[in-house]
Amino acid sequence: MHSNLLPDEFVAFDLETTGLNPKTDDIIEIAGVLFRQGLAVESFAEFAKPKKPPSAFVTQLTGIRAEDLTGADAVSPVISRFASFIGDRPLVAHNVGFDFKFLRQKINEFQLPEISNALFDSLLFSRLALPGLLSYKLENLAKYLNLPNLPNHRAGADAHACGQVFMIALERLAAFPEDKRAALGRLVTAQETPTAHLIRKVVPASPKPVKPKRSFRTHEPLAPRDEMAPVSGAEIDRFFESAGKLSSVVDSYEF
């Protein structure tokens, strides 16, 4: 699978943490999967030793036990090795803001070199490419797309699923009809972000929409009444419905 939107190389990554607060919680696992030309070719996965053992809830969710982390390195050298693994390749995560906020917090805490790679969010791209789904959680997207390896709240499996969702979303976006691609282009016109640059690759050459001319037909003027007249909800609905009174006087009316 390879669309003209897909970077030649990118790293899908995921973190497992002891909680949701980057300032007080710890990273306990970092994983990344290197995709090249749409294929997973290399992976990285390491535990990191937290300041305190993971809670029972975290262990139940991820399967990571305190004893799994006993011999692990501190998070600082793990992040350094992860930085070497990713190089300058684009990074993809599902809700990338959460994961990168954790990374940035630990990088600042331990005064590590900044990671300034381009960031892409598979959650955002799946919402654009697959509108109308009831849930955009990674596990639900994986089931909907019939991915062979489902995420399981472990960083390695989740990173791999994230990369697959990202690629499928780009494939779907590239296949959008011209009017939809033009609409996407208008959404990112003024933005200078990696996501905006990526989306603009599929914007048609003439993205300006052709708006239908709307005209209002003349109607008999309304006459004021001296007394108030009640209006039911059903009458209001009939007024605005697709074949209602408003549609009879407004060209190209859309319910």
Side-chain angles (χ1 to χ4, degrees):
M1 180 185 301
H2 191 273
S3 79
N4 59 343
L5 278 177
L6 188 65
D8 288 337
E9 290 188 334
F10 69 90
V11 174
F13 79 102
D14 186 64
L15 309 178
E16 299 302 334
T17 64
T18 58
L20 303 178
N21 190 331
K23 293 184 178 179
T24 58
D25 291 307
D26 294 313
I27 296 171
I28 55 176
E29 187 179 25
I30 301 178
V33 178
L34 169 60
F35 287 83
R36 181 178 296 136
Q37 299 293 322
L39 297 175
V41 295
E42 194 176 345
S43 62
F44 174 99
E46 287 195 27
F47 288 130
K49 192 172 184 177
K51 300 183 189 74
K52 56 184 180 180
S55 67
F57 172 77
V58 170
T59 295
Q60 183 180 13
L61 180 69
T62 65
I64 300 174
R65 304 164 301 171
E67 50 265 39
D68 296 325
L69 306 172
T70 303
D73 282 341
V75 72
S76 175
V78 175
I79 290 177
S80 295
R81 290 193 288 270
F82 178 67
S84 297
F85 173 76
I86 64 177
D88 60 358
R89 301 178 181 96
L91 296 176
V92 179
H94 206 67
N95 191 12
V96 71
F98 173 82
D99 293 275
F100 201 72
K101 189 182 294 183
F102 254 96
L103 268 183
R104 183 182 289 121
Q105 175 65 33
K106 303 312 171 186
I107 285 169
N108 291 338
E109 279 183 23
F110 297 100
Q111 299 181 329
L112 300 172
E114 282 291 334
I115 294 177
S116 55
N117 305 46
L119 299 176
F120 297 110
D121 192 345
S122 58
L123 174 60
L124 169 63
F125 279 99
S126 63
R127 284 174 170 162
L128 290 173
L130 303 163
L133 298 185
L134 295 178
S135 170
Y136 291 89
K137 288 183 178 180
L138 187 58
E139 57 265 36
N140 293 334
L141 284 169
K143 290 177 183 176
Y144 174 78
L145 296 170
N146 294 315
L147 298 185
N149 300 309
L150 296 179
N152 58 8
H153 293 292
R154 284 295 301 271
D158 288 9
H160 194 272
C162 163
Q164 291 178 299
V165 167
F166 177 65
M167 291 190 295
I168 291 172
L170 294 188
E171 194 84 11
R172 298 283 181 94
L173 287 178
F176 269 11
E178 186 173 292
D179 59 335
K180 286 190 176 182
R181 287 185 283 118
L184 284 175
R186 293 194 297 275
L187 285 176
V188 298
T189 297
Q191 298 179 28
E192 294 299 330
T193 63
T195 295
H197 287 294
L198 195 61
I199 289 175
R200 279 200 285 267
K201 287 184 179 181
V202 294
V203 174
S206 301
K208 292 183 180 180
V210 179
K211 293 184 178 180
K213 293 183 179 180
R214 298 197 172 208
S215 62
F216 291 84
R217 290 189 286 277
T218 58
H219 200 278
E220 292 183 11
L222 298 176
R225 292 183 177 180
D226 294 329
E227 70 283 354
M228 298 289 286
V231 180
S232 68
E235 288 178 282
I236 296 173
D237 289 341
R238 284 196 296 272
F239 182 83
F240 285 102
E241 64 188 12
S242 56
K245 290 184 177 180
L246 189 58
S247 70
S248 68
V249 294
V250 178
D251 286 339
S252 303
Y253 174 74
E254 295 179 7
F255 172 70

